[in-house]
Amino acid sequence: MRGGRLLSLLAAGLCLGLAPGAAVRAQSDAPAEAARAAITALDDATQALTEAQKSRDRIAALTQTVQAYEEGLAALRDSLRRASQREATIQGALDAESGRLSQLLGVLQSIERAPEPALLIHPAGPVGTARSGMILSDVAPALQAKATALRNGLAELQALRTVQEDAVQTLKAGLEGAQDARFELSLSIARRTELPRRFVADKARMQTLIDSADTLAGFADALMSEPVPSAGAAASQRFASVKGRLAMPVLGQIIRRFEEEDAAGVRRPGFVVATRPLAIVTTPWPATIRYLGPLLDYGNVAVIEPDDGYLMVLAGLGQLYGEVGEVLPQGAPLGLMGGVEISDDQAFLIAAEQGTGAEASETLYIELRKNGTPVDPSDWFAAGKDRD
């Protein structure tokens, strides 16, 4: 009987979670796949940390390892956030369907319990009975499609929950690995002796500049007027050649651009980048350290000179590396952002489900100056060209 067939189809759809071999890969399984890729990336970072201990250039190797951890953790957090959102979407759809299917199940059960002769009698006569049979025949494929959709949804839901459980453990291990890599990096920098120096800073003169500065621009101008050995014309040409292709000095998201007004109505001639706590800050191009330390209300500030006539200001760091006058290669660590890394994986998952993004709690201010005048970083950094 058609009613019994429909009931069987629906019952199969409602028991799909127990069906063997139901691990279906839907198009929306991308968050789970991204999480698996991020887990692999973090495993690679852990291996890189082991290799960095044996590297001849430990600082460069450890810097790359810290960056690998940060990128892997960022990818994992993003995939977990999307997985949580996708899980909520699937669960909501399943909850919405359950009510309608329960009603239909009740109707089909009534049909199945009805005596066979009664099912053949229709108030409209034989024609009505025939039409009823045709309607039931049309409903059957629709129910089969609904059952397939439910099967896919339940399988994806299970896959998402499984990958989330694995990812939470990897997240915890990745946070510990990143912490170890930062510690080893700080230790190696403290023992560093081989960096070339362009000049030796006059500490008394530097303190005079700091005390007399009332703005960042004023301090930068005074710094540029201080006599130091030239970096050479070749360096200037190399730096100019990478305009528009510079890598960002920190992993984060640009939240305010050149001369863009903030909530208080203040405009600054630079980028404001939201980062995670303890994110590593590196040199986007070989540069000389011109200043390291606190300045006005900017927190810890690093001022580097990528070539003659240019200064790059990086403000808001928590920890600084190096000494004034040292010449750093491209990608060298300048310091770490402030704040405290969230180590509670469950707290992160709650934040991810709520979509608060509260983990990017630190901000780095980036200003690039040419011959004493601020220039738009969007013209120099590759990331600056990606408009939201």
Side-chain angles (χ1 to χ4, degrees):
M1 185 63 204
R2 288 191 178 93
R5 178 170 174 245
L6 292 177
L7 181 61
S8 299
L9 282 172
L10 185 58
L14 295 176
C15 297
L16 296 172
L18 302 177
V24 179
R25 291 289 177 268
Q27 287 183 350
S28 52
D29 195 32
E33 293 296 336
R36 295 186 187 98
I39 290 173
T40 300
L42 284 173
D43 289 340
D44 293 342
T46 301
Q47 181 62 33
L49 178 58
T50 301
E51 296 297 326
Q53 308 294 337
K54 301 176 287 186
S55 174
R56 294 184 60 185
D57 190 347
R58 282 171 55 86
I59 291 177
L62 286 168
T63 299
Q64 293 171 6
T65 300
V66 172
Q67 291 173 323
Y69 269 116
E70 290 182 355
E71 291 169 1
L73 286 168
L76 184 57
R77 290 183 179 101
D78 179 65
S79 61
L80 280 174
R81 183 180 293 107
R82 289 190 289 137
S84 295
Q85 294 169 350
R86 177 61 186 162
E87 180 183 358
T89 299
I90 295 173
Q91 190 63 60
L94 292 177
D95 291 343
E97 288 294 330
S98 64
R100 290 193 292 268
L101 291 177
S102 295
Q103 293 178 352
L104 184 56
L105 180 60
V107 172
L108 292 178
Q109 286 176 331
S110 298
I111 293 175
E112 188 176 52
R113 287 195 298 266
E116 191 78 15
L119 291 174
L120 298 175
I121 300 175
H122 193 278
V127 175
T129 301
R131 287 176 177 172
S132 297
M134 293 172 64
I135 291 173
L136 286 174
S137 297
D138 291 339
V139 169
L143 276 179
Q144 182 64 59
K146 185 69 69 176
T148 300
L150 280 172
R151 181 183 296 112
N152 292 346
L154 288 170
E156 184 185 354
L157 191 63
Q158 181 60 44
L160 286 170
R161 289 174 177 170
T162 299
V163 79
Q164 282 178 317
E165 292 174 1
D166 295 339
V168 166
Q169 296 301 317
T170 303
L171 179 65
K172 183 177 180 180
L175 289 170
E176 294 173 352
Q179 184 178 9
D180 292 342
R182 292 188 189 107
F183 174 78
E184 292 294 335
L185 177 61
S186 298
L187 191 62
S188 297
I189 290 176
R191 295 172 176 172
R192 179 173 60 187
T193 58
E194 74 280 5
L195 264 185
R197 298 184 73 93
R198 185 170 157 198
F199 64 92
V200 177
D202 184 334
K203 294 183 179 180
R205 178 59 183 164
M206 182 65 71
Q207 190 60 50
T208 300
L209 294 180
I210 296 171
D211 294 340
S212 60
D214 56 358
T215 65
L216 178 61
F219 178 76
D221 289 341
L223 204 59
M224 281 295 288
S225 66
E226 287 295 298
V228 296
S230 173
S236 179
Q237 292 170 0
R238 289 196 301 269
F239 183 67
S241 69
V242 295
K243 184 176 181 178
R245 297 185 288 114
L246 281 178
M248 290 292 286
V250 70
L251 181 64
Q253 180 180 5
I254 301 171
I255 58 175
R256 198 161 296 113
R257 295 178 179 272
F258 185 77
E259 294 293 355
E260 187 174 328
E261 191 175 276
D262 63 15
V266 178
R267 298 177 184 271
R268 298 188 187 278
F271 280 170
V272 177
V273 181
T275 79
R276 287 193 55 82
L278 303 180
I280 192 169
V281 180
T282 60
T283 54
W285 191 251
T288 302
I289 300 177
R290 294 297 304 271
Y291 176 72
L292 289 175
L295 181 68
L296 302 173
D297 60 347
Y298 286 89
N300 280 332
V301 174
V303 181
I304 58 176
E305 182 182 352
D307 68 53
D308 294 336
Y310 288 89
L311 285 182
M312 185 178 297
V313 180
L314 304 166
L317 290 84
Q319 182 178 347
L320 297 169
Y321 295 143
E323 295 182 9
V324 174
E326 290 180 333
V327 180
L328 301 176
Q330 182 178 359
L334 276 169
L336 302 175
M337 297 300 294
V340 179
E341 180 75 87
I342 298 176
S343 58
D344 187 345
D345 40 282
Q346 294 299 332
F348 165 76
L349 288 178
I350 293 173
E353 292 172 0
Q354 295 174 345
T356 60
E359 65 273 11
S361 58
E362 302 300 309
T363 55
L364 180 71
Y365 176 66
I366 306 172
E367 183 174 310
L368 181 60
R369 304 175 69 86
K370 179 181 180 182
N371 296 325
T373 302
V375 296
D376 190 347
S378 299
D379 296 333
W380 287 84
F381 290 99
K385 302 184 182 304
D386 300 330
R387 299 284 177 171
D388 295 335

